[in-house]
Amino acid sequence: MKKIYAFESRCLGCRLCEVYCRTARFKSKDVVKAHKRKNITSAIIVEEVLGPNNISYFALQCRHCKNPKCIKACISGAMYKNDKGIVRNDSEKCVGCLSCILVCPFGVIKKNDDGKSVSKCDLCADFGEPFCVENCPNEAIKFLNEGEARALK
Amino acid sequence: MSLDFNTPDFEVIRNGNRCIQCKVCVHQCANAVHFYDEEYDVVCVDDSKCVNCHRCVTLCPTKALVIRKYPLEFRENFNWHGKAIKEIYKQSQTGGVLLSSMGNPEPFPIYWDKMLLNASQVTNPSIDPLREPMETKVVIGRKPERLKFDANGKLLTKMPLNIELKVPVMFSAMSYGSISRNAHESLARAAEELGIFYNTGEGGLSKDFYKYGKNTIVQVASGRFGVHKEYLNAGAAIEIKIGQGAKPGIGGHLPGKKVGEDVSATRMIPVGSDAISPAPHHDIYSIEDLRQLIFSLKEATGYKKPVFVKIAAVHNSAAIASGVVRAGADAIVVDGFRGGTGAAPTRVRNNVGIPIELALAAIDQRLREEGIRNYCSLIVAGSIRNSSDVVKAIALGADAVYIGSAAVIALGCHMCHSCSTGKCNWGIATQYPELVKRLNPDIMYKRLVNLISAWNNEIQELLGGMGINAIESLRGNRLMLRGVDLNEKELEVLGIKYAGE
């Protein structure tokens, strides 16, 4: 299964991936329009790590675990794994208990502004290549099979 | 002193309707022009620090930013114009020599734009490069006087040492130190893929790059940084740098803050120490001394590497070039006054040296008159901007050209002329790891390959139009050029006719 891999040595910390992740949910894919709406949260998070000489950045997003703890913890059956192995959240079923956030070992599920729903990466499964990967200016995040990623790391 | 006469050069305009406060500009500006005000939860701008490098404009996801010339006007005065006044403000505040980067921006004539190329009509056929073979390969180095064959047609003449370029364009000397490791890697990889050469510049060569050796020209300059036997043997050719077009007669100075671990190891100097290249080579005071160095280098490399000598285009270039050829150089490189630099005193950059077009024509003419043109190749540099500049240079007598500014522009340089600050937002002229990262060699080497491939296609089109099918047949063919907007003297130096003649 293809997943998103972050390459720390190439990450600029510009956070454009976060901008495009928020935009990806909107049909028009218009950045300005998307950001005028409330209740949008990026499902990719750029972490800043202060080193001795410089700052390094690292993009984090859902790993689509083999045995996802979030699915086990979900009380309403909103969190599920689809036939392609992508862990998704059905917003119709989600009751906003936030149990998934508590159990996620990577901290990559985020509470939306309304406090009653969550955002997580679904690899932009509904419309092709993940939007963050497509718009990364430095090819620091790539959409790869595990083997390809291992060869590059 | 709180009184500051300086005013911003640029104004950053943020379109409030489009800005989404994503702070990409804040994260990308190494000059801290954009900053986030926590108190008011808003992104703000400090115009005075802007160098107009377009990094924020390019990366802004909503195209909410525009940078303009700062609209503050001085009272109109042709003599005491704003730039002259601002320079005095700056110098009277700091007491320092003004520094600039990249090439001479002053409005001196650009002779490339005053020369026009010929094309075939009726009396001789033009060639379509898409249908017929077209050669853009050139060979650099000494050429034999004549070729001798035995009765069976076998070549008897011992051919001198030559190197071959698939396209008559090379990447000129930019040292590791003045440009980043990633920029260097991009140039090396592109040169390898294109079958051309890149030049190490005077900063030595990191061992990691030895694998690109067959596409590398190693430079020996007055500072002798990183020069050792292994280094000399690592490349395909050696270049002795006497002068640089942007700053003829001046040495170099790489500030200590750019000398990190890796640059220090490559240059063989302590971490954090200034790398100062003296103005002259302290062992060269005559053509005879130059000959000694050329042959020392040949001796060190077992006479297996051609030796180039690079000089800046100055008033007596033709006579100097003649001496350089007689000193035993296999190629002479001439760098015109528009050539770029990481840092040069502004007054030198803007006022010293001569246009490359005139120097090239004069040198080629002189070497021919003296019957020594075939002893060495002639390579020109100093703001070759496009393929027609290349073709015109070859028609004027060059064997190949070097491009530096054009290459860094392909890597993302936006010509903000601020290399000397070391805070290049595009990751080119910097050593800060977080900025170097911004230049991804995997992406950037392809851009260089694209650029040169595009030029190669255009060169073929132009040659085909002239009815020529090999670039070697164009060299020094000045009948293919005509001048416009030039006076008698200029035409005489260029050795070309006026349009219509």
Side-chain angles (χ1 to χ4, degrees), chain B residues 147-461:
Chain B
L147 296 175
K148 278 188 193 156
F149 299 90
D150 67 10
N152 304 320
K154 213 183 135 203
L155 185 66
L156 291 175
T157 315
K158 193 177 165 244
M159 293 301 284
L161 204 60
N162 280 175
I163 57 171
E164 195 181 297
L165 297 176
K166 283 200 183 138
V167 189
V169 181
M170 301 186 280
F171 301 130
S172 58
M174 289 176 278
S175 71
Y176 174 36
S178 76
I179 61 167
S180 68
R181 188 188 174 85
N182 287 3
H184 226 87
E185 186 184 331
S186 308
L187 292 167
R189 282 167 67 179
E192 186 178 48
E193 184 157 330
L194 289 160
I196 60 169
F197 295 87
Y198 86 104
N199 191 311
T200 60
E202 61 169 313
L205 184 64
S206 172
K207 290 257 155 65
D208 304 345
F209 290 114
Y210 278 23
K211 61 181 175 213
Y212 304 110
K214 67 176 181 29
N215 297 93
T216 307
I217 295 168
V218 295
Q219 200 181 52
V220 175
S222 61
R224 301 285 203 279
F225 296 116
V227 177
H228 47 84
K229 198 175 164 193
E230 210 184 332
Y231 166 75
L232 295 173
N233 281 293
I238 302 168
E239 180 175 290
I240 299 170
K241 177 194 176 186
I242 302 290
Q244 186 178 342
K247 42 179 173 179
I250 298 277
H253 179 175
L254 185 74
K257 65 180 182 206
K258 286 192 179 178
V259 183
E261 289 281 342
D262 202 34
V263 173
S264 132
T266 309
R267 292 206 175 213
M268 308 196 301
I269 53 169
V271 174
S273 62
D274 289 11
I276 298 181
S277 296
H281 282 250
H282 286 309
D283 52 358
I284 301 179
Y285 284 84
S286 63
I287 291 294
E288 291 77 11
D289 288 345
L290 175 65
R291 186 176 177 82
Q292 278 199 355
L293 181 60
I294 292 173
F295 281 89
S296 306
L297 295 173
K298 288 194 172 199
E299 197 67 46
T301 51
Y303 293 85
K304 285 186 188 127
K305 316 272 178 193
V307 175
F308 300 4
V309 173
K310 178 180 180 178
I311 57 166
V314 288
H315 302 180
N316 291 321
S317 289
I320 297 161
S322 166
V324 169
V325 175
R326 289 166 199 280
D330 296 289
I332 171 161
V333 182
V334 192
D335 193 9
F337 78 150
R338 282 184 199 281
T341 175
T346 308
R347 298 289 166 245
V348 174
R349 184 194 70 171
N350 294 1
N351 298 286
V352 182
I354 62 168
I356 188 60
E357 303 90 327
L358 301 177
L360 162 61
I363 292 172
D364 181 63
Q365 193 57 37
R366 172 85 176 240
L367 298 184
R368 286 187 201 210
E369 281 166 9
E370 294 184 1
I372 54 174
R373 179 65 184 83
N374 63 302
Y375 286 9
C376 91
S377 291
L378 185 51
I379 302 163
V380 296
S383 200
I384 301 286
R385 302 157 300 168
N386 50 47
S387 59
S388 58
D389 286 358
V390 178
V391 171
K392 287 171 190 174
I394 288 170
L396 271 185
D399 288 80
V401 305
Y402 260 135
I403 58 163
S405 300
V408 292
I409 291 171
L411 293 176
C413 169
H414 279 57
M415 295 294 279
C416 73
H417 293 204
S418 313
C419 321
S420 58
T421 64
K423 290 196 279 189
C424 175
N425 268 322
W426 294 90
I428 303 165
T430 179
Q431 297 300 326
Y432 291 110
E434 64 273 23
L435 298 178
V436 174
K437 250 194 205 186
R438 296 181 180 185
L439 197 160
N440 182 345
D442 295 341
I443 303 174
M444 291 304 174
Y445 96 91
K446 284 185 213 145
R447 293 184 73 96
L448 289 168
V449 171
N450 287 345
L451 177 77
I452 304 301
S453 309
W455 284 18
N456 194 26
N457 287 334
E458 291 175 340
I459 290 170
Q460 294 185 3
E461 289 284 351

Side-chain angles (χ1 to χ4, degrees), chain A residues 34-131:
Chain A
H35 285 76
K36 291 237 157 94
R37 304 271 194 93
K38 282 194 174 144
N39 202 26
I40 51 164
T41 313
S42 171
I44 185 161
I45 307 135
V46 177
E47 291 278 342
E48 233 175 76
V49 188
L50 274 170
N53 299 320
N54 61 316
I55 311 168
S56 39
Y57 301 93
F58 198 86
L60 277 171
Q61 73 296 313
C62 178
R63 308 292 172 96
H64 303 278
C65 308
K66 262 186 195 147
N67 300 304
K69 294 202 163 115
C70 55
I71 295 182
K72 222 181 235 177
C74 183
I75 60 167
S76 63
M79 203 67 85
Y80 68 102
K81 200 176 215 165
N82 74 3
D83 51 353
K84 288 186 184 131
I86 303 171
V87 178
R88 305 194 64 169
N89 181 51
D90 184 344
S91 55
E92 295 286 309
K93 288 187 187 165
C94 178
V95 294
C97 71
L98 311 183
S99 307
C100 51
I101 296 179
L102 276 174
V103 299
C104 175
F106 301 105
V108 291
I109 307 179
K110 290 275 162 194
K111 182 168 75 174
N112 283 336
D113 291 344
D114 63 3
K116 293 177 198 153
S117 58
V118 296
S119 277
K120 73 169 292 301
C121 171
D122 58 4
L123 299 177
C124 293
D126 296 335
F127 60 89
E129 186 97 333
F131 216 39

